[in-house]
Coordinates of all heavy atoms in Angstrom, one line a residue:
M128 N 17.0 155.6 138.8 CA 18.4 155.8 139.1 C 19.1 154.4 138.9 O 18.6 153.4 139.4 CB 18.6 156.3 140.5 CG 20.0 156.5 140.9 SD 20.1 157.1 142.6 CE 20.9 158.7 142.2
K129 N 20.2 154.4 138.2 CA 20.9 153.2 138.0 C 21.7 152.8 139.2 O 22.4 153.6 139.7 CB 21.8 153.4 136.8 CG 22.5 152.2 136.3 CD 23.3 152.5 135.0 CE 24.1 151.3 134.5 NZ 24.8 151.6 133.3
K130 N 21.6 151.5 139.6 CA 22.4 151.0 140.7 C 23.8 150.7 140.3 O 24.0 150.1 139.2 CB 21.7 149.8 141.3 CG 20.5 150.1 142.1 CD 19.9 148.8 142.6 CE 20.2 148.7 144.1 NZ 19.7 147.5 144.7
N131 N 24.8 151.0 141.1 CA 26.1 150.5 140.8 C 26.2 149.0 141.2 O 25.8 148.6 142.3 CB 27.1 151.3 141.7 CG 27.3 152.7 141.2 OD1 27.0 153.0 140.0 ND2 27.7 153.6 142.1
K132 N 26.8 148.3 140.3 CA 27.0 146.9 140.7 C 28.5 146.6 140.9 O 29.4 147.3 140.3 CB 26.6 145.9 139.5 CG 27.2 146.2 138.2 CD 26.7 145.3 137.2 CE 27.3 145.6 135.8 NZ 26.8 144.8 134.8
E133 N 28.8 145.8 141.9 CA 30.2 145.5 142.3 C 30.8 144.5 141.3 O 30.1 143.6 140.8 CB 30.2 144.9 143.7 CG 30.0 145.9 144.7 CD 30.4 145.4 146.1 OE1 31.3 144.6 146.2 OE2 29.8 145.9 147.1
I134 N 32.0 144.8 140.9 CA 32.7 144.0 139.9 C 34.0 143.6 140.6 O 34.8 144.4 141.1 CB 33.0 144.8 138.6 CG1 31.7 145.1 137.9 CG2 33.8 143.9 137.7 CD1 31.8 146.0 136.8
E135 N 34.3 142.3 140.5 CA 35.5 141.8 141.1 C 36.6 141.8 140.1 O 36.5 141.2 139.0 CB 35.3 140.4 141.6 CG 36.5 139.8 142.4 CD 36.2 138.5 143.0 OE1 35.1 138.2 143.5 OE2 37.2 137.7 143.1
V136 N 37.7 142.4 140.4 CA 38.9 142.5 139.6 C 40.0 141.6 140.3 O 40.2 141.8 141.5 CB 39.4 143.9 139.5 CG1 40.7 144.0 138.7 CG2 38.4 144.8 138.8
H137 N 40.6 140.7 139.5 CA 41.7 140.0 140.1 C 43.0 140.1 139.3 O 42.9 140.5 138.1 CB 41.3 138.5 140.4 CG 41.2 137.7 139.1 ND1 40.0 137.7 138.4 CD2 42.0 136.9 138.4 CE1 40.2 136.9 137.3 NE2 41.4 136.4 137.3
S138 N 44.1 139.9 139.9 CA 45.4 140.1 139.2 C 46.2 138.8 139.2 O 46.0 137.9 140.1 CB 46.2 141.2 139.8 OG 46.5 140.9 141.1
E139 N 47.1 138.7 138.2 CA 48.0 137.6 138.1 C 49.4 138.2 137.8 O 49.5 139.1 137.0 CB 47.6 136.6 137.0 CG 46.3 135.9 137.2 CD 45.9 134.9 136.1 OE1 46.8 134.6 135.3 OE2 44.8 134.5 136.2
E140 N 50.4 137.6 138.5 CA 51.7 138.1 138.3 C 52.4 137.2 137.3 O 52.3 136.0 137.3 CB 52.5 138.1 139.6 CG 51.9 138.9 140.7 CD 51.8 140.4 140.4 OE1 52.8 140.9 139.8 OE2 50.8 141.0 140.8
T141 N 53.2 137.8 136.4 CA 53.9 137.1 135.4 C 55.2 138.0 135.0 O 55.5 138.9 135.7 CB 53.1 136.9 134.1 OG1 53.8 136.0 133.2 CG2 52.6 138.1 133.4
S142 N 55.9 137.6 134.0 CA 57.0 138.4 133.6 C 57.0 138.5 132.1 O 56.4 137.7 131.4 CB 58.3 137.9 134.1 OG 58.5 136.6 133.6
R143 N 57.7 139.5 131.5 CA 57.8 139.7 130.1 C 59.2 140.1 129.8 O 59.8 140.9 130.4 CB 56.8 140.8 129.7 CG 56.9 141.1 128.2 CD 55.6 141.3 127.5 NE 54.5 140.5 127.9 CZ 53.4 141.1 128.3 NH1 53.2 142.4 128.3 NH2 52.4 140.3 128.7
N144 N 59.7 139.5 128.7 CA 61.1 139.8 128.2 C 61.0 140.9 127.1 O 60.4 140.7 126.1 CB 61.7 138.5 127.7 CG 63.2 138.7 127.5 OD1 63.7 139.8 127.1 ND2 64.0 137.6 127.7
I145 N 61.6 142.1 127.4 CA 61.6 143.2 126.4 C 63.0 143.6 126.1 O 63.7 144.0 127.0 CB 60.8 144.4 126.9 CG1 59.3 144.0 127.2 CG2 60.8 145.5 125.9 CD1 58.5 145.0 128.0
K146 N 63.4 143.4 124.9 CA 64.8 143.7 124.4 C 65.8 143.1 125.3 O 66.8 143.8 125.8 CB 64.9 145.3 124.4 CG 64.0 145.9 123.3 CD 64.2 147.4 123.3 CE 63.3 148.0 122.3 NZ 63.4 149.5 122.3
G147 N 65.7 141.9 125.7 CA 66.6 141.2 126.5 C 66.6 141.4 128.0 O 67.3 140.8 128.8
Q148 N 65.7 142.2 128.4 CA 65.5 142.5 129.9 C 64.1 141.9 130.3 O 63.1 142.1 129.6 CB 65.5 144.1 130.1 CG 65.3 144.5 131.5 CD 66.6 144.5 132.3 OE1 67.7 144.4 131.7 NE2 66.5 144.4 133.6
T149 N 64.1 141.3 131.4 CA 62.9 140.7 132.0 C 62.3 141.6 133.0 O 63.0 142.1 133.9 CB 63.2 139.3 132.6 OG1 63.8 138.5 131.6 CG2 61.9 138.7 133.2
Y150 N 61.0 141.9 132.8 CA 60.3 142.8 133.7 C 59.1 142.1 134.3 O 58.4 141.3 133.7 CB 59.7 144.0 133.0 CG 60.8 144.9 132.4 CD1 61.2 144.8 131.0 CD2 61.4 145.9 133.2 CE1 62.1 145.6 130.5 CE2 62.4 146.7 132.6 CZ 62.8 146.6 131.3 OH 63.7 147.4 130.8
P151 N 58.8 142.4 135.6 CA 57.5 141.8 136.2 C 56.3 142.5 135.6 O 56.4 143.7 135.3 CB 57.7 142.2 137.7 CG 59.0 142.8 137.9 CD 59.6 143.1 136.6
V152 N 55.2 141.8 135.5 CA 54.0 142.3 134.9 C 52.8 141.8 135.8 O 52.8 140.7 136.2 CB 53.8 141.8 133.4 CG1 52.5 142.2 132.9 CG2 54.9 142.2 132.5
T153 N 51.9 142.8 136.0 CA 50.7 142.5 136.7 C 49.6 142.5 135.7 O 49.4 143.6 135.1 CB 50.4 143.5 137.9 OG1 51.5 143.4 138.8 CG2 49.1 143.1 138.6
E154 N 48.9 141.4 135.4 CA 47.8 141.4 134.5 C 46.5 141.5 135.3 O 46.3 140.8 136.3 CB 47.8 140.0 133.7 CG 49.0 139.9 132.9 CD 49.1 138.5 132.2 OE1 48.4 137.6 132.7 OE2 49.8 138.4 131.2
L155 N 45.5 142.3 134.8 CA 44.3 142.5 135.5 C 43.1 141.9 134.7 O 43.1 142.0 133.5 CB 44.0 144.0 135.7 CG 45.0 144.8 136.5 CD1 44.7 146.3 136.5 CD2 45.0 144.3 137.9
Y156 N 42.2 141.2 135.5 CA 41.1 140.5 134.9 C 39.8 140.8 135.6 O 39.8 141.0 136.8 CB 41.4 139.0 135.0 CG 42.5 138.4 134.2 CD1 43.8 138.4 134.7 CD2 42.3 138.0 132.9 CE1 44.9 137.9 134.0 CE2 43.4 137.5 132.1 CZ 44.7 137.5 132.7 OH 45.7 137.0 131.9
I157 N 38.8 140.8 134.8 CA 37.4 140.8 135.3 C 36.8 139.6 134.7 O 36.6 139.4 133.5 CB 36.6 142.1 134.9 CG1 37.2 143.3 135.5 CG2 35.1 141.9 135.2 CD1 36.6 144.6 135.2
G158 N 36.5 138.6 135.6 CA 36.1 137.3 135.1 C 37.3 136.7 134.4 O 38.4 136.7 134.9
K159 N 37.1 136.2 133.2 CA 38.2 135.6 132.4 C 38.8 136.6 131.4 O 39.7 136.3 130.7 CB 37.7 134.4 131.7 CG 37.4 133.2 132.6 CD 37.0 132.0 131.9 CE 36.6 130.9 132.8 NZ 36.3 129.6 132.1
K160 N 38.2 137.8 131.3 CA 38.6 138.8 130.4 C 39.7 139.7 130.9 O 39.6 140.3 132.0 CB 37.4 139.7 130.0 CG 37.8 140.7 128.9 CD 36.6 141.6 128.6 CE 37.1 142.6 127.6 NZ 36.1 143.6 127.3
Q161 N 40.8 139.7 130.2 CA 41.9 140.6 130.6 C 41.6 142.0 130.2 O 41.2 142.3 129.1 CB 43.3 140.2 129.9 CG 44.4 141.0 130.4 CD 45.7 140.6 129.8 OE1 45.8 139.8 128.9 NE2 46.8 141.3 130.2
I162 N 41.7 142.9 131.2 CA 41.3 144.3 130.9 C 42.6 145.2 130.9 O 42.5 146.4 130.4 CB 40.4 144.9 132.0 CG1 41.0 144.9 133.4 CG2 39.0 144.2 131.9 CD1 40.2 145.7 134.4
G163 N 43.7 144.7 131.2 CA 44.9 145.5 131.2 C 46.1 144.9 131.9 O 46.0 143.8 132.4
E164 N 47.3 145.5 131.7 CA 48.4 145.0 132.4 C 49.4 146.2 132.8 O 49.3 147.2 132.2 CB 49.2 144.0 131.5 CG 49.6 144.5 130.2 CD 50.1 143.4 129.3 OE1 50.0 142.2 129.6 OE2 50.7 143.8 128.3
V165 N 50.1 145.9 133.8 CA 51.1 146.9 134.3 C 52.5 146.3 134.3 O 52.7 145.3 134.9 CB 50.7 147.3 135.8 CG1 51.7 148.4 136.3 CG2 49.3 147.8 135.9
L166 N 53.4 147.0 133.6 CA 54.8 146.6 133.5 C 55.5 147.4 134.6 O 55.4 148.6 134.8 CB 55.4 147.0 132.2 CG 55.4 145.9 131.1 CD1 54.0 145.8 130.6 CD2 56.3 146.3 130.0
H167 N 56.3 146.7 135.4 CA 57.1 147.3 136.5 C 58.5 147.6 136.0 O 59.3 146.7 135.9 CB 57.2 146.3 137.7 CG 55.8 145.7 138.2 ND1 55.5 145.8 139.5 CD2 54.8 145.2 137.5 CE1 54.3 145.2 139.6 NE2 53.9 144.9 138.4
F168 N 58.7 148.8 135.7 CA 60.0 149.2 135.1 C 61.0 149.6 136.2 O 62.2 149.5 136.0 CB 59.9 150.4 134.2 CG 59.4 150.0 132.8 CD1 58.1 150.4 132.4 CD2 60.1 149.1 132.0 CE1 57.6 150.1 131.2 CE2 59.6 148.8 130.8 CZ 58.4 149.2 130.3
G169 N 60.5 149.9 137.4 CA 61.4 150.3 138.5 C 60.6 150.4 139.8 O 59.4 150.1 139.7
S170 N 61.2 150.8 140.9 CA 60.4 150.9 142.1 C 59.4 152.0 142.1 O 58.4 152.0 142.8 CB 61.4 151.2 143.3 OG 62.1 152.4 143.1
K171 N 59.5 153.0 141.2 CA 58.5 154.1 141.1 C 58.1 154.4 139.7 O 57.8 155.5 139.3 CB 59.1 155.4 141.8 CG 59.2 155.2 143.3 CD 59.5 156.5 143.9 CE 59.5 156.4 145.4 NZ 59.6 157.6 146.1
E172 N 58.2 153.3 138.8 CA 57.8 153.5 137.4 C 57.0 152.3 137.0 O 57.5 151.2 136.8 CB 59.0 153.7 136.5 CG 58.6 154.0 135.1 CD 59.8 154.3 134.2 OE1 61.0 154.3 134.7 OE2 59.6 154.5 133.0
F173 N 55.6 152.5 136.8 CA 54.7 151.5 136.5 C 54.0 151.9 135.2 O 53.2 152.9 135.2 CB 53.7 151.2 137.6 CG 54.4 150.8 138.9 CD1 54.8 151.7 139.8 CD2 54.6 149.4 139.1 CE1 55.5 151.3 141.0 CE2 55.2 149.0 140.3 CZ 55.7 149.9 141.2
Q174 N 54.1 151.2 134.1 CA 53.5 151.6 132.8 C 52.2 150.8 132.7 O 52.2 149.5 132.7 CB 54.5 151.2 131.7 CG 54.1 151.8 130.3 CD 54.3 153.3 130.3 OE1 55.2 153.8 130.8 NE2 53.4 153.9 129.6
S175 N 51.1 151.5 132.4 CA 49.8 150.8 132.3 C 49.4 150.7 130.8 O 49.7 151.6 130.0 CB 48.7 151.7 132.9 OG 49.0 151.9 134.3
F176 N 48.8 149.5 130.5 CA 48.4 149.2 129.1 C 47.0 148.6 129.2 O 46.7 147.8 130.1 CB 49.3 148.2 128.4 CG 50.7 148.8 128.2 CD1 51.7 148.5 129.1 CD2 51.0 149.5 127.0 CE1 53.0 149.0 128.9 CE2 52.3 150.0 126.8 CZ 53.2 149.7 127.7
A177 N 46.1 149.0 128.2 CA 44.8 148.3 128.1 C 44.6 148.2 126.6 O 44.6 149.2 125.8 CB 43.7 149.2 128.7
D178 N 44.3 147.0 126.1 CA 44.1 146.7 124.7 C 45.2 147.3 123.8 O 44.9 148.0 122.8 CB 42.7 147.2 124.2 CG 41.6 146.5 125.0 OD1 41.7 145.3 125.3 OD2 40.6 147.2 125.2
D179 N 46.4 147.1 124.2 CA 47.6 147.6 123.5 C 47.7 149.1 123.4 O 48.5 149.7 122.7 CB 47.7 147.0 122.1 CG 47.9 145.5 122.0 OD1 48.6 145.1 123.0 OD2 47.4 144.9 121.1
E180 N 46.9 149.8 124.2 CA 46.9 151.3 124.3 C 47.8 151.6 125.5 O 47.5 151.1 126.7 CB 45.5 151.8 124.5 CG 45.5 153.3 124.7 CD 44.0 153.8 124.9 OE1 43.1 153.1 124.8 OE2 43.9 155.0 125.3
D181 N 48.8 152.5 125.4 CA 49.6 152.9 126.4 C 48.8 154.0 127.2 O 48.5 155.0 126.7 CB 50.9 153.5 125.8 CG 51.9 154.0 126.9 OD1 51.5 154.0 128.1 OD2 53.0 154.3 126.5
L182 N 48.6 153.7 128.5 CA 47.8 154.6 129.4 C 48.7 155.6 130.2 O 48.2 156.4 130.9 CB 46.9 153.8 130.3 CG 45.9 152.9 129.6 CD1 45.1 152.2 130.6 CD2 45.0 153.7 128.6
G183 N 50.0 155.4 130.1 CA 50.9 156.3 130.8 C 51.6 155.6 131.9 O 51.4 154.4 132.2
T184 N 52.5 156.4 132.6 CA 53.3 155.9 133.7 C 52.7 156.4 135.0 O 52.3 157.6 135.1 CB 54.7 156.4 133.5 OG1 55.2 156.0 132.3 CG2 55.6 155.9 134.6
S185 N 52.8 155.6 136.0 CA 52.4 156.0 137.4 C 53.5 155.7 138.4 O 54.4 154.9 138.1 CB 51.2 155.1 137.8 OG 50.1 155.3 136.9
K186 N 53.4 156.4 139.5 CA 54.5 156.2 140.5 C 54.3 155.1 141.4 O 55.2 154.6 142.1 CB 54.6 157.5 141.3 CG 55.2 158.7 140.5 CD 55.4 159.9 141.4 CE 56.1 161.0 140.6 NZ 56.4 162.1 141.4
T187 N 53.0 154.5 141.5 CA 52.8 153.4 142.3 C 51.9 152.4 141.6 O 51.3 152.7 140.6 CB 52.0 153.7 143.6 OG1 50.7 154.2 143.2 CG2 52.7 154.8 144.4
L188 N 52.0 151.1 142.0 CA 51.2 150.0 141.4 C 49.7 150.3 141.5 O 49.0 150.1 140.6 CB 51.6 148.7 142.0 CG 50.8 147.5 141.4 CD1 51.0 147.3 139.9 CD2 51.3 146.2 142.1
D189 N 49.3 150.8 142.7 CA 47.9 151.1 142.9 C 47.4 152.1 142.0 O 46.3 152.0 141.4 CB 47.7 151.6 144.4 CG 47.8 150.4 145.4 OD1 47.8 149.2 145.0 OD2 48.0 150.7 146.6
L190 N 48.1 153.2 141.7 CA 47.7 154.2 140.8 C 47.6 153.7 139.3 O 46.7 154.0 138.6 CB 48.6 155.4 140.8 CG 48.6 156.3 142.1 CD1 49.7 157.3 142.0 CD2 47.2 156.9 142.2
A191 N 48.6 152.8 139.0 CA 48.5 152.2 137.6 C 47.3 151.3 137.5 O 46.6 151.3 136.4 CB 49.8 151.4 137.4
I192 N 47.0 150.5 138.5 CA 45.8 149.7 138.5 C 44.5 150.5 138.4 O 43.6 150.2 137.6 CB 45.8 148.7 139.7 CG1 46.9 147.7 139.5 CG2 44.4 148.1 139.9 CD1 47.1 146.8 140.8
E193 N 44.5 151.6 139.2 CA 43.3 152.5 139.1 C 43.1 153.1 137.7 O 42.0 153.2 137.3 CB 43.5 153.6 140.2 CG 42.3 154.5 140.3 CD 42.5 155.6 141.4 OE1 43.1 155.3 142.4 OE2 41.9 156.7 141.2
T194 N 44.2 153.4 137.1 CA 44.2 154.0 135.7 C 43.5 153.0 134.8 O 42.6 153.4 134.0 CB 45.6 154.3 135.2 OG1 46.1 155.3 136.1 CG2 45.5 154.9 133.8
I195 N 43.9 151.7 134.8 CA 43.3 150.7 134.0 C 41.8 150.5 134.3 O 41.0 150.4 133.4 CB 44.1 149.4 134.1 CG1 45.5 149.6 133.6 CG2 43.3 148.2 133.4 CD1 46.4 148.4 133.9
I196 N 41.5 150.5 135.6 CA 40.0 150.2 135.9 C 39.2 151.4 135.5 O 38.1 151.2 135.0 CB 39.9 150.0 137.4 CG1 40.6 148.7 137.8 CG2 38.4 150.0 137.9 CD1 40.7 148.4 139.3
R197 N 39.7 152.6 135.6 CA 38.9 153.8 135.2 C 38.7 153.8 133.7 O 37.6 154.1 133.2 CB 39.6 155.1 135.6 CG 39.5 155.5 137.0 CD 40.3 156.7 137.3 NE 40.3 157.0 138.7 CZ 40.0 158.1 139.3 NH1 39.7 159.1 138.5 NH2 40.0 158.3 140.6
R198 N 39.8 153.4 132.9 CA 39.7 153.4 131.5 C 38.6 152.3 131.1 O 37.8 152.5 130.2 CB 41.0 153.1 130.9 CG 41.0 153.1 129.3 CD 41.4 151.8 128.8 NE 41.4 151.8 127.3 CZ 40.7 150.9 126.6 NH1 40.1 150.0 127.2 NH2 40.8 151.0 125.3
W199 N 38.7 151.1 131.7 CA 37.7 150.0 131.4 C 36.3 150.5 131.8 O 35.4 150.3 131.0 CB 38.1 148.8 132.3 CG 37.1 147.7 132.1 CD1 37.1 146.8 131.1 CD2 36.0 147.4 132.8 NE1 36.0 145.9 131.2 CE2 35.3 146.3 132.3 CE3 35.4 148.0 134.0 CZ2 34.1 145.8 132.8 CZ3 34.2 147.5 134.5 CH2 33.6 146.4 133.9
N200 N 36.1 151.2 132.9 CA 34.8 151.6 133.3 C 34.2 152.6 132.3 O 33.1 152.6 131.9 CB 34.9 152.3 134.7 CG 33.6 152.5 135.3 OD1 32.6 151.7 135.1 ND2 33.4 153.5 136.1
L201 N 35.1 153.5 131.7 CA 34.6 154.5 130.7 C 34.2 153.8 129.4 O 33.3 154.2 128.8 CB 35.7 155.5 130.5 CG 35.9 156.6 131.6 CD1 37.1 157.4 131.3 CD2 34.6 157.4 131.8
H202 N 35.0 152.8 129.0 CA 34.8 152.2 127.7 C 33.8 151.0 127.7 O 33.2 150.7 126.6 CB 36.1 151.8 127.1 CG 36.9 152.9 126.7 ND1 37.7 153.6 127.5 CD2 37.1 153.5 125.5 CE1 38.3 154.6 126.9 NE2 37.9 154.6 125.6
E203 N 33.5 150.4 128.8 CA 32.7 149.3 128.9 C 31.2 149.6 129.3 O 30.3 148.8 129.1 CB 33.2 148.2 129.8 CG 34.5 147.6 129.3 CD 34.4 146.8 128.0 OE1 33.4 146.1 127.8 OE2 35.3 146.9 127.2
N204 N 31.1 150.7 129.9 CA 29.7 151.1 130.4 C 29.1 152.1 129.6 O 29.6 152.9 129.0 CB 29.8 151.5 131.9 CG 30.2 150.4 132.8 OD1 29.9 149.3 132.5 ND2 30.9 150.7 133.8

């Protein structure tokens, strides 16, 4: 039976200018590798991206982060 290993994910806050509008962005990293980012379009609109792939919109930051981690887990393991 394969043991689950714990992986530490950390985030960095930055901003991005899109079409003249500045949006907050949360970048997610495992080690030094960026696994995705979340654009904060509003109080209940968080757009998730991983490797330039649009993963969809979530209503909370936590759900958006979970989407990126699940996608990473499926493609990296």
